[in-house]
């Protein structure tokens, strides 16, 4: 398995990961494992602080302070939310939230501002209005095609 931490001002600010990395779940653009925490050198987290991170067995979800959602790692079953089953070796923004496509009402085209994410057998996000979004392999509720 893998581990992650969001570190604040006391140390070098950023997202740190370590552990197993068979599907790129560490977000370091490779599948090499790490035995100690090391910063994820990804553009989203160098320009905008990460507010929260969640780990599935082989994938990672993160939400920034402005509500943007990123995912990486094992893509099987669509759990990354990128519209395919491909693995992703570094953080990639989930476009359905960025464009407003996650909303089911055609009148709502604005960006979805997410406040929390959860990774597991399926992936989940909760927006600032309290709406829940689930995606991945056979989600019980939500929008499977994110």
């Amino acid at each position: 398995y893998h581990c992650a931490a969001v570190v604040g001002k006391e140390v070098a600010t950023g997202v740190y990961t370590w552990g197993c990395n068979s599907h790129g779940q560490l977000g370091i653009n490779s599948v090499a494992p790490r035995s100690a925490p090391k910063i994820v050198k990804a553009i989203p987290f160098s320009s905008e602080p990460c507010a929260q991170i969640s780990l599935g067995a082989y994938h990672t979800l993160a939400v920034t302070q402005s509500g943007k959602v990123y995912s990486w790692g094992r893509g099987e079953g669509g759990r990354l939310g990128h519209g395919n089953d491909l693995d992703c070796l570094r953080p990639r923004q989930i476009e359905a939230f960025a464009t407003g496509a996650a909303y089911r009402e055609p009148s709502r085209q604005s960006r979805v501002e997410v406040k929390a994410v959860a990774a597991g057998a399926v992936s989940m996000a909760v927006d600032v209005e309290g709406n829940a979004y689930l995606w991945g392999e056979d989600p019980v509720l939500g929008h499977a095609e994110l």
Side-chain angles (χ1 to χ4, degrees):
Y1 293 104
H2 67 298
C3 301
V6 178
V7 178
K9 294 179 182 178
E10 296 79 32
V11 187
T13 302
V15 173
Y16 288 75
T17 59
W18 65 99
C20 295
N21 194 30
S22 56
H23 296 278
Q25 61 265 41
L26 296 183
I28 59 173
N29 205 27
S30 82
V31 293
R34 286 185 179 165
S35 59
K38 194 169 181 184
I39 195 163
V40 175
K41 293 182 179 178
I43 291 170
F45 309 124
S46 61
S47 61
E48 185 174 6
C50 181
Q52 189 243 328
I53 198 160
S54 182
L55 310 178
Y58 301 104
H59 75 296
T60 305
L61 298 175
V63 61
T64 65
Q65 288 182 351
S66 70
K68 295 176 185 171
V69 182
Y70 293 84
S71 64
W72 61 94
R74 188 175 191 177
E76 181 182 47
R79 71 190 72 204
L80 297 182
H82 300 303
N84 58 46
D85 288 347
L86 301 175
D87 290 356
C88 187
L89 303 181
R90 60 183 171 199
R92 178 177 166 197
Q93 188 172 7
I94 298 178
E95 292 300 320
F97 292 118
T99 63
Y103 285 125
R104 287 294 175 235
E105 302 107 34
S107 63
R108 297 185 78 172
Q109 296 299 316
S110 62
R111 178 176 77 87
V112 178
E113 187 178 341
V114 172
K115 67 177 181 179
V117 291
V122 296
S123 298
M124 179 182 158
V126 177
D127 70 19
V128 295
E129 297 175 8
N131 298 308
Y133 303 84
L134 281 82
W135 65 96
E137 192 167 5
D138 298 322
V140 177
L141 301 170
H143 308 298
E145 63 272 357
L146 273 185

